[in-house]
Amino acid sequence: MNIIINTSTIVIGGGIQVSKSLLEELKGIINNNNYHVFLSPKLDEEIKTLIFPDNFKFYKIPVSPSKLMTRRTVVKELMALEKSIAPDIVFTVFGPSYWKPKAIHLCGYADGAGYTPDSIAFKQLNFIEYIRTKLLINYKNHFITTTSSFLVVETEVAKNNISKFLSFPKSKIFVVGNTYSGVYNKCIKEPRPNNNDNNNDFFKLLTLSSYYKHKNLSIINKVSDILNNEYQLNVKFYLTIKHEEYLKNFRGNKNIINLGPQLVEDCPKLYNRADAMFLPTLLETFSASYPEAMKMERPILTSNLDFAQDICGEAALYFDPLDGYDIANKIKSIITDPLLYDDLVEKGKKRLKKFETSRSRAEKYLKCCEEIIKSNVES
């Protein structure tokens, strides 16, 4: 196959991790494919293109086609590249792509807001935020439905919702589960930090996430106050958000420590230094933080919502993400009950076996492309 792998719109979050993992895995799969990779500036920083074999060719796309002011110029460049490459298929890892390839277009879609209109995340927005968010969702969904020949999503729930709310044919939606990055297979898992050490006498909760409204990170201020001031527990929350977002939302809270945005390969060591993974999110399709924590043998504390339960099963301690006291009580229970802590770790190790590996995910993406091309030829 002659494949364009399009990552031109990926600038932040899990899309970077999945795209990087996919390319690294494709590098190790022996076949006759030629890969033409459209790299966003952020992916260009992450990918060491010189170590890839000759069947990979990289094209840096300096500006995302999502930007309205420069879209015409960028789309013109993308279309010119496609014409010169003449691919069998274009695979946009995560859309919308904001341009319509001439070739068959398989587009990944993992924005839960686009197909979960009843999410409690929308109820937390003020009127202006709500209108702006809904307009943006409609804008993105327009491009998803008008530029994509096929979609690939991460869960059956997403497939069903997209078919229902976007009227996209189920027969044209593939499901390939998400997982942790291959870098976690290369790391050395370390025992949980010794909280009896005088230099390490606090419980550390790690949240690997950018600052999005639906991530509900602002609740940490209230939870931190309850734990440290009312319950007299020494708990630290470690975030990985931009410095300006930290100053705006958490300035002065000594129990919230911001590590700043992290490279994928640096994340395993953060789990090694943490006691547990904490994610108070209101809306997801899939969060790689769940299988990452399972892989690193750290318990999961997260929101008692359908998407989290579908991914984690019994391998998480759930809380009401809008109730600071419920969250604090669940954190307190995992601190004070060693049996509960160990039980969650063991259940996570078992649950992990249900996930794809980074290699199997890459192979399934290729299989989707092959099936689409084959069906197109036969028709």
mmCIF file of all heavy atoms in Angstrom, residues 203 205 217-237 249-257 278 323-329 331-332 335:
data_model
loop_
_atom_site.group_PDB
_atom_site.id
_atom_site.type_symbol
_atom_site.label_atom_id
_atom_site.label_comp_id
_atom_site.label_asym_id
_atom_site.label_seq_id
_atom_site.Cartn_x
_atom_site.Cartn_y
_atom_site.Cartn_z
ATOM 1 N N PHE A 203 1.218 11.585 50.314
ATOM 2 C CA PHE A 203 0.611 10.724 49.298
ATOM 3 C C PHE A 203 0.530 11.504 48.000
ATOM 4 O O PHE A 203 -0.001 12.617 47.955
ATOM 5 C CB PHE A 203 -0.775 10.284 49.756
ATOM 6 C CG PHE A 203 -1.356 9.146 48.952
ATOM 7 C CD1 PHE A 203 -1.072 7.835 49.295
ATOM 8 C CD2 PHE A 203 -2.185 9.392 47.865
ATOM 9 C CE1 PHE A 203 -1.607 6.774 48.574
ATOM 10 C CE2 PHE A 203 -2.723 8.341 47.136
ATOM 11 C CZ PHE A 203 -2.431 7.027 47.479
ATOM 12 N N LEU A 205 -0.655 12.017 44.104
ATOM 13 C CA LEU A 205 -1.630 11.693 43.062
ATOM 14 C C LEU A 205 -1.188 12.333 41.747
ATOM 15 O O LEU A 205 -0.930 13.541 41.696
ATOM 16 C CB LEU A 205 -3.017 12.204 43.452
ATOM 17 C CG LEU A 205 -3.666 11.504 44.643
ATOM 18 C CD1 LEU A 205 -4.871 12.296 45.133
ATOM 19 C CD2 LEU A 205 -4.098 10.094 44.266
ATOM 20 N N LEU A 217 -10.380 19.660 36.224
ATOM 21 C CA LEU A 217 -9.232 19.756 37.133
ATOM 22 C C LEU A 217 -9.435 20.788 38.238
ATOM 23 O O LEU A 217 -8.817 20.690 39.300
ATOM 24 C CB LEU A 217 -7.965 20.085 36.338
ATOM 25 C CG LEU A 217 -7.545 19.078 35.269
ATOM 26 C CD1 LEU A 217 -6.215 19.503 34.644
ATOM 27 C CD2 LEU A 217 -7.440 17.668 35.838
ATOM 28 N N SER A 218 -10.298 21.764 38.000
ATOM 29 C CA SER A 218 -10.501 22.815 39.006
ATOM 30 C C SER A 218 -11.057 22.264 40.324
ATOM 31 O O SER A 218 -10.869 22.881 41.377
ATOM 32 C CB SER A 218 -11.442 23.893 38.458
ATOM 33 O OG SER A 218 -12.699 23.342 38.108
ATOM 34 N N ILE A 219 -11.712 21.099 40.282
ATOM 35 C CA ILE A 219 -12.242 20.489 41.513
ATOM 36 C C ILE A 219 -11.115 20.142 42.489
ATOM 37 O O ILE A 219 -11.347 19.995 43.693
ATOM 38 C CB ILE A 219 -13.059 19.214 41.176
ATOM 39 C CG1 ILE A 219 -13.916 18.753 42.375
ATOM 40 C CG2 ILE A 219 -12.153 18.072 40.731
ATOM 41 C CD1 ILE A 219 -15.084 19.636 42.656
ATOM 42 N N ILE A 220 -9.889 20.059 41.982
ATOM 43 C CA ILE A 220 -8.752 19.682 42.838
ATOM 44 C C ILE A 220 -8.529 20.705 43.935
ATOM 45 O O ILE A 220 -8.103 20.350 45.044
ATOM 46 C CB ILE A 220 -7.479 19.489 41.985
ATOM 47 C CG1 ILE A 220 -7.685 18.319 41.016
ATOM 48 C CG2 ILE A 220 -6.259 19.218 42.869
ATOM 49 C CD1 ILE A 220 -6.516 18.116 40.051
ATOM 50 N N ASN A 221 -8.826 21.971 43.675
ATOM 51 C CA ASN A 221 -8.657 22.983 44.717
ATOM 52 C C ASN A 221 -9.495 22.645 45.945
ATOM 53 O O ASN A 221 -9.005 22.677 47.078
ATOM 54 C CB ASN A 221 -9.053 24.362 44.172
ATOM 55 C CG ASN A 221 -7.938 25.010 43.368
ATOM 56 O OD1 ASN A 221 -6.782 25.013 43.769
ATOM 57 N ND2 ASN A 221 -8.293 25.557 42.217
ATOM 58 N N LYS A 222 -10.756 22.292 45.733
ATOM 59 C CA LYS A 222 -11.641 21.963 46.847
ATOM 60 C C LYS A 222 -11.219 20.659 47.520
ATOM 61 O O LYS A 222 -11.171 20.569 48.752
ATOM 62 C CB LYS A 222 -13.076 21.839 46.344
ATOM 63 C CG LYS A 222 -14.084 21.540 47.454
ATOM 64 C CD LYS A 222 -15.512 21.525 46.922
ATOM 65 C CE LYS A 222 -16.493 21.259 48.060
ATOM 66 N NZ LYS A 222 -17.910 21.271 47.562
ATOM 67 N N VAL A 223 -10.902 19.658 46.708
ATOM 68 C CA VAL A 223 -10.518 18.356 47.257
ATOM 69 C C VAL A 223 -9.244 18.474 48.078
ATOM 70 O O VAL A 223 -9.124 17.893 49.169
ATOM 71 C CB VAL A 223 -10.332 17.329 46.121
ATOM 72 C CG1 VAL A 223 -9.829 16.002 46.668
ATOM 73 C CG2 VAL A 223 -11.640 17.133 45.354
ATOM 74 N N SER A 224 -8.303 19.233 47.571
ATOM 75 C CA SER A 224 -7.040 19.435 48.285
ATOM 76 C C SER A 224 -7.266 20.091 49.634
ATOM 77 O O SER A 224 -6.662 19.707 50.645
ATOM 78 C CB SER A 224 -6.105 20.298 47.427
ATOM 79 O OG SER A 224 -4.979 20.709 48.156
ATOM 80 N N ASP A 225 -8.155 21.062 49.672
ATOM 81 C CA ASP A 225 -8.453 21.757 50.933
ATOM 82 C C ASP A 225 -9.089 20.806 51.949
ATOM 83 O O ASP A 225 -8.728 20.805 53.130
ATOM 84 C CB ASP A 225 -9.400 22.929 50.650
ATOM 85 C CG ASP A 225 -9.737 23.709 51.907
ATOM 86 O OD1 ASP A 225 -8.817 24.328 52.479
ATOM 87 O OD2 ASP A 225 -10.913 23.680 52.318
ATOM 88 N N ILE A 226 -10.013 19.967 51.484
ATOM 89 C CA ILE A 226 -10.669 19.008 52.386
ATOM 90 C C ILE A 226 -9.658 18.015 52.953
ATOM 91 O O ILE A 226 -9.612 17.758 54.167
ATOM 92 C CB ILE A 226 -11.790 18.258 51.636
ATOM 93 C CG1 ILE A 226 -12.900 19.234 51.223
ATOM 94 C CG2 ILE A 226 -12.356 17.139 52.506
ATOM 95 C CD1 ILE A 226 -13.910 18.632 50.264
ATOM 96 N N LEU A 227 -8.837 17.458 52.079
ATOM 97 C CA LEU A 227 -7.883 16.427 52.503
ATOM 98 C C LEU A 227 -6.847 16.968 53.473
ATOM 99 O O LEU A 227 -6.573 16.368 54.516
ATOM 100 C CB LEU A 227 -7.186 15.839 51.279
ATOM 101 C CG LEU A 227 -8.024 14.920 50.391
ATOM 102 C CD1 LEU A 227 -7.295 14.665 49.078
ATOM 103 C CD2 LEU A 227 -8.320 13.599 51.100
ATOM 104 N N ASN A 228 -6.268 18.084 53.115
ATOM 105 C CA ASN A 228 -5.130 18.585 53.883
ATOM 106 C C ASN A 228 -5.533 19.402 55.104
ATOM 107 O O ASN A 228 -4.835 19.359 56.117
ATOM 108 C CB ASN A 228 -4.220 19.414 52.973
ATOM 109 C CG ASN A 228 -3.480 18.560 51.959
ATOM 110 O OD1 ASN A 228 -2.462 17.965 52.259
ATOM 111 N ND2 ASN A 228 -4.019 18.486 50.740
ATOM 112 N N ASN A 229 -6.661 20.117 55.031
ATOM 113 C CA ASN A 229 -7.043 20.989 56.136
ATOM 114 C C ASN A 229 -8.114 20.385 57.036
ATOM 115 O O ASN A 229 -8.050 20.531 58.266
ATOM 116 C CB ASN A 229 -7.520 22.337 55.594
ATOM 117 C CG ASN A 229 -6.413 23.077 54.855
ATOM 118 O OD1 ASN A 229 -5.250 23.007 55.237
ATOM 119 N ND2 ASN A 229 -6.766 23.768 53.780
ATOM 120 N N GLU A 230 -9.096 19.690 56.470
ATOM 121 C CA GLU A 230 -10.156 19.093 57.285
ATOM 122 C C GLU A 230 -9.792 17.687 57.753
ATOM 123 O O GLU A 230 -10.045 17.321 58.902
ATOM 124 C CB GLU A 230 -11.471 19.053 56.499
ATOM 125 C CG GLU A 230 -12.044 20.431 56.186
ATOM 126 C CD GLU A 230 -13.428 20.348 55.585
ATOM 127 O OE1 GLU A 230 -14.211 19.479 56.015
ATOM 128 O OE2 GLU A 230 -13.731 21.154 54.675
ATOM 129 N N TYR A 231 -9.207 16.881 56.859
ATOM 130 C CA TYR A 231 -8.892 15.498 57.212
ATOM 131 C C TYR A 231 -7.467 15.319 57.721
ATOM 132 O O TYR A 231 -7.093 14.225 58.142
ATOM 133 C CB TYR A 231 -9.093 14.591 55.988
ATOM 134 C CG TYR A 231 -10.519 14.444 55.522
ATOM 135 C CD1 TYR A 231 -10.821 13.688 54.397
ATOM 136 C CD2 TYR A 231 -11.580 15.049 56.199
ATOM 137 C CE1 TYR A 231 -12.130 13.539 53.946
ATOM 138 C CE2 TYR A 231 -12.885 14.908 55.764
ATOM 139 C CZ TYR A 231 -13.158 14.161 54.631
ATOM 140 O OH TYR A 231 -14.445 14.009 54.189
ATOM 141 N N GLN A 232 -6.685 16.373 57.680
ATOM 142 C CA GLN A 232 -5.304 16.346 58.169
ATOM 143 C C GLN A 232 -4.472 15.251 57.485
ATOM 144 O O GLN A 232 -3.673 14.561 58.117
ATOM 145 C CB GLN A 232 -5.288 16.138 59.695
ATOM 146 C CG GLN A 232 -6.064 17.193 60.472
ATOM 147 C CD GLN A 232 -5.539 18.602 60.244
ATOM 148 O OE1 GLN A 232 -4.343 18.857 60.383
ATOM 149 N NE2 GLN A 232 -6.408 19.525 59.856
ATOM 150 N N LEU A 233 -4.677 15.098 56.184
ATOM 151 C CA LEU A 233 -3.893 14.155 55.379
ATOM 152 C C LEU A 233 -2.944 14.944 54.483
ATOM 153 O O LEU A 233 -3.336 15.958 53.899
ATOM 154 C CB LEU A 233 -4.811 13.281 54.517
ATOM 155 C CG LEU A 233 -5.711 12.303 55.259
ATOM 156 C CD1 LEU A 233 -6.713 11.676 54.289
ATOM 157 C CD2 LEU A 233 -4.889 11.218 55.947
ATOM 158 N N ASN A 234 -1.732 14.483 54.393
ATOM 159 C CA ASN A 234 -0.733 15.184 53.575
ATOM 160 C C ASN A 234 -0.767 14.606 52.171
ATOM 161 O O ASN A 234 -0.190 13.554 51.891
ATOM 162 C CB ASN A 234 0.654 15.017 54.196
ATOM 163 C CG ASN A 234 1.636 16.050 53.657
ATOM 164 O OD1 ASN A 234 1.326 16.803 52.743
ATOM 165 N ND2 ASN A 234 2.829 16.072 54.234
ATOM 166 N N VAL A 235 -1.492 15.276 51.291
ATOM 167 C CA VAL A 235 -1.692 14.790 49.924
ATOM 168 C C VAL A 235 -1.246 15.859 48.933
ATOM 169 O O VAL A 235 -1.595 17.038 49.076
ATOM 170 C CB VAL A 235 -3.180 14.438 49.673
ATOM 171 C CG1 VAL A 235 -3.376 13.926 48.256
ATOM 172 C CG2 VAL A 235 -3.666 13.409 50.691
ATOM 173 N N LYS A 236 -0.484 15.440 47.941
ATOM 174 C CA LYS A 236 -0.026 16.336 46.881
ATOM 175 C C LYS A 236 -0.607 15.876 45.538
ATOM 176 O O LYS A 236 -0.651 14.684 45.239
ATOM 177 C CB LYS A 236 1.499 16.344 46.785
ATOM 178 C CG LYS A 236 2.223 16.718 48.071
ATOM 179 C CD LYS A 236 2.020 18.177 48.441
ATOM 180 C CE LYS A 236 2.868 18.540 49.667
ATOM 181 N NZ LYS A 236 2.614 19.932 50.116
ATOM 182 N N PHE A 237 -1.046 16.838 44.755
ATOM 183 C CA PHE A 237 -1.554 16.572 43.408
ATOM 184 C C PHE A 237 -0.516 17.059 42.397
ATOM 185 O O PHE A 237 -0.107 18.230 42.426
ATOM 186 C CB PHE A 237 -2.867 17.308 43.177
ATOM 187 C CG PHE A 237 -4.011 16.799 44.005
ATOM 188 C CD1 PHE A 237 -4.169 17.213 45.331
ATOM 189 C CD2 PHE A 237 -4.933 15.909 43.476
ATOM 190 C CE1 PHE A 237 -5.230 16.746 46.098
ATOM 191 C CE2 PHE A 237 -5.992 15.434 44.239
ATOM 192 C CZ PHE A 237 -6.132 15.851 45.552
ATOM 193 N N ASN A 249 -5.348 29.019 37.558
ATOM 194 C CA ASN A 249 -6.332 28.181 38.237
ATOM 195 C C ASN A 249 -5.904 27.640 39.597
ATOM 196 O O ASN A 249 -6.764 27.261 40.395
ATOM 197 C CB ASN A 249 -6.704 27.004 37.338
ATOM 198 C CG ASN A 249 -7.373 27.438 36.056
ATOM 199 O OD1 ASN A 249 -8.541 27.787 36.048
ATOM 200 N ND2 ASN A 249 -6.625 27.440 34.952
ATOM 201 N N PHE A 250 -4.590 27.602 39.853
ATOM 202 C CA PHE A 250 -4.125 26.952 41.079
ATOM 203 C C PHE A 250 -3.081 27.764 41.846
ATOM 204 O O PHE A 250 -2.459 27.252 42.767
ATOM 205 C CB PHE A 250 -3.535 25.573 40.751
ATOM 206 C CG PHE A 250 -4.474 24.680 39.995
ATOM 207 C CD1 PHE A 250 -4.305 24.446 38.640
ATOM 208 C CD2 PHE A 250 -5.545 24.077 40.642
ATOM 209 C CE1 PHE A 250 -5.175 23.622 37.939
ATOM 210 C CE2 PHE A 250 -6.425 23.243 39.947
ATOM 211 C CZ PHE A 250 -6.237 23.028 38.596
ATOM 212 N N ARG A 251 -2.888 29.007 41.481
ATOM 213 C CA ARG A 251 -1.878 29.835 42.137
ATOM 214 C C ARG A 251 -2.087 29.871 43.648
ATOM 215 O O ARG A 251 -3.208 30.060 44.128
ATOM 216 C CB ARG A 251 -1.930 31.261 41.586
ATOM 217 C CG ARG A 251 -0.844 32.179 42.148
ATOM 218 C CD ARG A 251 -1.181 33.634 41.889
ATOM 219 N NE ARG A 251 -1.201 33.953 40.480
ATOM 220 C CZ ARG A 251 -0.145 34.408 39.799
ATOM 221 N NH1 ARG A 251 1.012 34.594 40.426
ATOM 222 N NH2 ARG A 251 -0.234 34.680 38.516
ATOM 223 N N GLY A 252 -1.014 29.647 44.389
ATOM 224 C CA GLY A 252 -1.082 29.746 45.843
ATOM 225 C C GLY A 252 -1.443 28.461 46.553
ATOM 226 O O GLY A 252 -1.381 28.398 47.781
ATOM 227 N N ASN A 253 -1.834 27.431 45.806
ATOM 228 C CA ASN A 253 -2.166 26.154 46.446
ATOM 229 C C ASN A 253 -0.904 25.308 46.528
ATOM 230 O O ASN A 253 -0.454 24.737 45.543
ATOM 231 C CB ASN A 253 -3.250 25.422 45.645
ATOM 232 C CG ASN A 253 -3.833 24.243 46.400
ATOM 233 O OD1 ASN A 253 -3.147 23.593 47.193
ATOM 234 N ND2 ASN A 253 -5.105 23.951 46.153
ATOM 235 N N LYS A 254 -0.336 25.240 47.715
ATOM 236 C CA LYS A 254 0.952 24.559 47.903
ATOM 237 C C LYS A 254 0.848 23.047 47.759
ATOM 238 O O LYS A 254 1.864 22.348 47.687
ATOM 239 C CB LYS A 254 1.545 24.906 49.271
ATOM 240 C CG LYS A 254 0.765 24.383 50.463
ATOM 241 C CD LYS A 254 1.418 24.784 51.761
ATOM 242 C CE LYS A 254 0.752 24.153 52.973
ATOM 243 N NZ LYS A 254 -0.672 24.479 53.097
ATOM 244 N N ASN A 255 -0.372 22.535 47.736
ATOM 245 C CA ASN A 255 -0.565 21.091 47.609
ATOM 246 C C ASN A 255 -0.759 20.638 46.160
ATOM 247 O O ASN A 255 -0.995 19.455 45.914
ATOM 248 C CB ASN A 255 -1.773 20.654 48.452
ATOM 249 C CG ASN A 255 -1.553 20.901 49.923
ATOM 250 O OD1 ASN A 255 -0.529 20.516 50.479
ATOM 251 N ND2 ASN A 255 -2.501 21.576 50.560
ATOM 252 N N ILE A 256 -0.705 21.570 45.246
ATOM 253 C CA ILE A 256 -0.811 21.257 43.821
ATOM 254 C C ILE A 256 0.496 21.649 43.162
ATOM 255 O O ILE A 256 0.890 22.822 43.158
ATOM 256 C CB ILE A 256 -1.994 21.987 43.166
ATOM 257 C CG1 ILE A 256 -3.300 21.589 43.854
ATOM 258 C CG2 ILE A 256 -2.052 21.679 41.672
ATOM 259 C CD1 ILE A 256 -4.517 22.353 43.349
ATOM 260 N N ILE A 257 1.173 20.676 42.593
ATOM 261 C CA ILE A 257 2.495 20.890 41.997
ATOM 262 C C ILE A 257 2.406 20.639 40.497
ATOM 263 O O ILE A 257 1.960 19.568 40.067
ATOM 264 C CB ILE A 257 3.530 19.945 42.631
ATOM 265 C CG1 ILE A 257 3.617 20.222 44.141
ATOM 266 C CG2 ILE A 257 4.897 20.097 41.968
ATOM 267 C CD1 ILE A 257 4.346 19.154 44.917
ATOM 268 N N PHE A 278 -4.967 9.850 39.322
ATOM 269 C CA PHE A 278 -6.192 10.553 39.655
ATOM 270 C C PHE A 278 -6.715 11.281 38.424
ATOM 271 O O PHE A 278 -5.979 12.049 37.796
ATOM 272 C CB PHE A 278 -5.910 11.556 40.786
ATOM 273 C CG PHE A 278 -7.080 12.434 41.133
ATOM 274 C CD1 PHE A 278 -8.165 11.916 41.817
ATOM 275 C CD2 PHE A 278 -7.077 13.776 40.793
ATOM 276 C CE1 PHE A 278 -9.238 12.732 42.157
ATOM 277 C CE2 PHE A 278 -8.141 14.598 41.126
ATOM 278 C CZ PHE A 278 -9.232 14.074 41.809
ATOM 279 N N ASP A 323 -18.545 16.181 43.327
ATOM 280 C CA ASP A 323 -18.691 16.210 44.791
ATOM 281 C C ASP A 323 -17.308 16.133 45.433
ATOM 282 O O ASP A 323 -16.705 15.064 45.525
ATOM 283 C CB ASP A 323 -19.563 15.041 45.239
ATOM 284 C CG ASP A 323 -19.882 15.070 46.733
ATOM 285 O OD1 ASP A 323 -19.140 15.719 47.495
ATOM 286 O OD2 ASP A 323 -20.868 14.419 47.133
ATOM 287 N N GLY A 324 -16.819 17.277 45.904
ATOM 288 C CA GLY A 324 -15.480 17.329 46.484
ATOM 289 C C GLY A 324 -15.307 16.409 47.665
ATOM 290 O O GLY A 324 -14.244 15.803 47.847
ATOM 291 N N TYR A 325 -16.344 16.272 48.491
ATOM 292 C CA TYR A 325 -16.240 15.413 49.676
ATOM 293 C C TYR A 325 -16.221 13.937 49.295
ATOM 294 O O TYR A 325 -15.505 13.142 49.917
ATOM 295 C CB TYR A 325 -17.385 15.704 50.651
ATOM 296 C CG TYR A 325 -17.096 16.902 51.529
ATOM 297 C CD1 TYR A 325 -17.586 18.166 51.194
ATOM 298 C CD2 TYR A 325 -16.306 16.785 52.674
ATOM 299 C CE1 TYR A 325 -17.314 19.276 51.982
ATOM 300 C CE2 TYR A 325 -16.020 17.890 53.466
ATOM 301 C CZ TYR A 325 -16.528 19.125 53.119
ATOM 302 O OH TYR A 325 -16.236 20.219 53.888
ATOM 303 N N ASP A 326 -16.992 13.564 48.288
ATOM 304 C CA ASP A 326 -16.960 12.169 47.847
ATOM 305 C C ASP A 326 -15.585 11.817 47.293
ATOM 306 O O ASP A 326 -15.033 10.753 47.583
ATOM 307 C CB ASP A 326 -18.034 11.919 46.788
ATOM 308 C CG ASP A 326 -18.127 10.443 46.412
ATOM 309 O OD1 ASP A 326 -18.174 9.599 47.327
ATOM 310 O OD2 ASP A 326 -18.136 10.143 45.209
ATOM 311 N N ILE A 327 -15.023 12.738 46.531
ATOM 312 C CA ILE A 327 -13.680 12.512 45.991
ATOM 313 C C ILE A 327 -12.669 12.380 47.126
ATOM 314 O O ILE A 327 -11.843 11.456 47.154
ATOM 315 C CB ILE A 327 -13.261 13.657 45.044
ATOM 316 C CG1 ILE A 327 -14.214 13.734 43.845
ATOM 317 C CG2 ILE A 327 -11.812 13.459 44.566
ATOM 318 C CD1 ILE A 327 -13.981 14.945 42.952
ATOM 319 N N ALA A 328 -12.742 13.304 48.078
ATOM 320 C CA ALA A 328 -11.803 13.288 49.199
ATOM 321 C C ALA A 328 -11.935 12.001 50.010
ATOM 322 O O ALA A 328 -10.933 11.422 50.450
ATOM 323 C CB ALA A 328 -12.032 14.508 50.086
ATOM 324 N N ASN A 329 -13.152 11.550 50.211
ATOM 325 C CA ASN A 329 -13.358 10.317 50.980
ATOM 326 C C ASN A 329 -12.793 9.100 50.271
ATOM 327 O O ASN A 329 -12.246 8.193 50.914
ATOM 328 C CB ASN A 329 -14.853 10.125 51.261
ATOM 329 C CG ASN A 329 -15.370 11.071 52.330
ATOM 330 O OD1 ASN A 329 -14.634 11.436 53.250
ATOM 331 N ND2 ASN A 329 -16.627 11.480 52.225
ATOM 332 N N ILE A 331 -10.261 9.142 48.173
ATOM 333 C CA ILE A 331 -8.803 9.252 48.286
ATOM 334 C C ILE A 331 -8.358 8.835 49.683
ATOM 335 O O ILE A 331 -7.358 8.113 49.847
ATOM 336 C CB ILE A 331 -8.336 10.691 47.960
ATOM 337 C CG1 ILE A 331 -8.632 11.019 46.487
ATOM 338 C CG2 ILE A 331 -6.841 10.856 48.260
ATOM 339 C CD1 ILE A 331 -8.371 12.468 46.123
ATOM 340 N N LYS A 332 -9.103 9.278 50.687
ATOM 341 C CA LYS A 332 -8.781 8.900 52.066
ATOM 342 C C LYS A 332 -8.810 7.379 52.233
ATOM 343 O O LYS A 332 -7.932 6.795 52.890
ATOM 344 C CB LYS A 332 -9.778 9.545 53.024
ATOM 345 C CG LYS A 332 -9.540 9.192 54.488
ATOM 346 C CD LYS A 332 -10.582 9.851 55.388
ATOM 347 C CE LYS A 332 -10.371 9.471 56.847
ATOM 348 N NZ LYS A 332 -11.414 10.097 57.719
ATOM 349 N N ILE A 335 -5.752 5.717 50.886
ATOM 350 C CA ILE A 335 -4.569 6.015 51.693
ATOM 351 C C ILE A 335 -4.548 5.157 52.957
ATOM 352 O O ILE A 335 -3.506 4.641 53.366
ATOM 353 C CB ILE A 335 -4.545 7.517 52.074
ATOM 354 C CG1 ILE A 335 -4.336 8.378 50.827
ATOM 355 C CG2 ILE A 335 -3.433 7.795 53.094
ATOM 356 C CD1 ILE A 335 -4.450 9.876 51.096
#
